[in-house]
């Protein structure tokens, strides 16, 4: 049985649904390999990626049965952290549509997305220390940037789990929807992104991920490429024509 499903495959977007219902979508090595294959595809042909769970669960974490058997050498390979970093650096935006539990590695997968939306029953948490490990796939540095250090420390050190409304108030998610509306809401976000110029979106995402000392030179270089693109002339001409009408 496949560990992920291609739920929606269009020229401008790809929806991937985690699908391991027997273990609440726990992320095992096969899931990691399958998501790397998705990255291969989207690096060659950039599209928006929508990440979803299934059966009312986003992802319950990394597969504990596998983690139990992993050694020091496997920890140093960064099996999940390297995947999540690759997802975070895909050329086009990644949207995480979180329904239900997003715990441990599942929460870290959501943190790696560019945009997160949630259902009313979403729950986020990082209980790794209760299992004798650390949240080593991005939570210790992504989560403080997303929600601020005080809340991040409660989630990482105290084991606090936050619900959808608290995630919204903290800025972890940008919107909360009824579970049955979550897919449509993710598509609406993707529609807005897809209406923009793809080159400008790719450059904007890349620039936002650069260190401060790369600016403003990197911005000027990106703008120079956009200024000579056909899309710039077409879109600006269309804007001026609409204003005249």
């Amino acid at each position: 049985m496949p560990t992920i499903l291609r739920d929606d495959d269009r020229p401008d977007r790809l929806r991937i649904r985690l699908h391991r219902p027997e273990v609440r979508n726990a992320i095992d090595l096969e899931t990691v390999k399958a998501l790397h294959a998705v990255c291969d595809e989207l690096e060659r042909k950039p599209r928006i990626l929508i990440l979803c769970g299934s059966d009312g669960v986003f992802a319950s974490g990394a597969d504990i049965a596998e983690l139990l058997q992993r050694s020091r050498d496997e920890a140093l390979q960064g099996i999940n952290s390297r995947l999540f970093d690759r997802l975070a650096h895909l050329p086009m935006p990644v949207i995480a549509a979180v329904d239900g539990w997003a715990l441990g590695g599942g929460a870290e997968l959501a943190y790696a997305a560019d945009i997160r939306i949630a259902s009313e029953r979403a729950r986020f948490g990082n209980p790794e220390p209760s299992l004798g490990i650390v949240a080593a796939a991005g939570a210790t540095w992504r989560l403080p940037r997303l929600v601020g250090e005080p809340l991040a420390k409660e989630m990482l050190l105290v084991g606090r789990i936050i619900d959808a409304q608290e995630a919204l108030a903290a800025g972890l998610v940008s919107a909360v929807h009824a579970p049955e509306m979550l897919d449509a809401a993710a598509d609406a976000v993707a529609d807005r992104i897809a209406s923009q110029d793809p080159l400008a979106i790719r450059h904007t995402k890349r620039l936002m991920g650069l260190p401060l000392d790369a600016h403003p030179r990197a911005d000027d270089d990106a703008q120079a490429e956009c200024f000579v693109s056909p899309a710039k002339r077409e879109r600006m001409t269309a804007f001026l024509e609409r204003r005249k009408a």
Side-chain angles (χ1 to χ4, degrees), residues 84-99:
F84 297 168
D85 197 53
R86 192 177 182 189
L87 286 163
H89 287 91
L90 285 174
M92 290 293 283
V94 177
I95 302 165
V98 179
D99 183 23

Side-chain angles (χ1 to χ4, degrees), residues 122-144:
R123 300 291 185 273
F124 297 87
N126 287 96
E128 285 92 340
S130 72
L131 298 170
I133 58 174
V134 299
T140 59
W141 53 278
R142 284 196 177 101
L143 186 59

Side-chain angles (χ1 to χ4, degrees), residues 184-216:
D187 275 325
V189 175
D191 288 343
R192 292 291 301 273
I193 296 169
S195 72
Q196 314 298 316
D197 175 52
L199 177 63
I201 289 292
R202 293 198 301 272
H203 274 315
T204 300
K205 175 174 174 173
R206 180 181 60 82
L207 290 169
M208 292 179 72
L210 293 178
L212 285 176
D213 60 6
H215 304 281

Side-chain angles (χ1 to χ4, degrees), residues 200 203 206-207 217-229 232 236:
H203 274 315
R206 180 181 60 82
L207 290 169
R217 178 57 187 270
D219 306 69
D220 295 340
D221 290 342
Q223 193 74 301
E225 185 176 351
C226 290
F227 270 22
V228 298
S229 71
K232 175 239 186 181
M236 288 190 175

Side-chain angles (χ1 to χ4, degrees), residues 50-195:
I50 303 173
L51 292 171
C52 302
S54 56
D55 299 320
V57 177
F58 183 71
S60 61
D63 192 305
I64 303 302
E66 282 194 357
L67 288 183
L68 180 62
Q69 303 304 319
R70 288 182 186 172
S71 67
R72 175 182 184 277
D73 289 342
E74 288 168 310
L76 291 173
Q77 293 173 19
I79 292 170
N80 285 359
S81 64
R82 282 162 175 74
L83 168 64
F84 297 168
D85 197 53
R86 192 177 182 189
L87 286 163
H89 287 91
L90 285 174
M92 290 293 283
V94 177
I95 302 165
V98 179
D99 183 23
W101 293 101
L103 297 177
E108 290 177 303
L109 174 60
Y111 303 158
D114 297 292
I115 297 167
R116 285 160 297 281
I117 62 173
S119 79
E120 295 163 340
R121 60 190 179 189
R123 300 291 185 273
F124 297 87
N126 287 96
E128 285 92 340
S130 72
L131 298 170
I133 58 174
V134 299
T140 59
W141 53 278
R142 284 196 177 101
L143 186 59
R145 295 177 186 177
L146 292 170
V147 303
E149 188 174 289
L151 179 55
K153 283 186 173 180
E154 284 199 43
M155 294 174 68
L156 292 165
L157 300 178
V158 182
R160 180 174 168 188
I161 293 173
I162 64 172
D163 63 19
Q165 290 300 326
E166 190 168 5
L168 179 63
L172 181 59
V173 302
S174 58
V176 175
H177 302 274
E180 65 273 16
M181 299 301 298
L182 191 60
D183 284 352
D187 275 325
V189 175
D191 288 343
R192 292 291 301 273
I193 296 169
S195 72

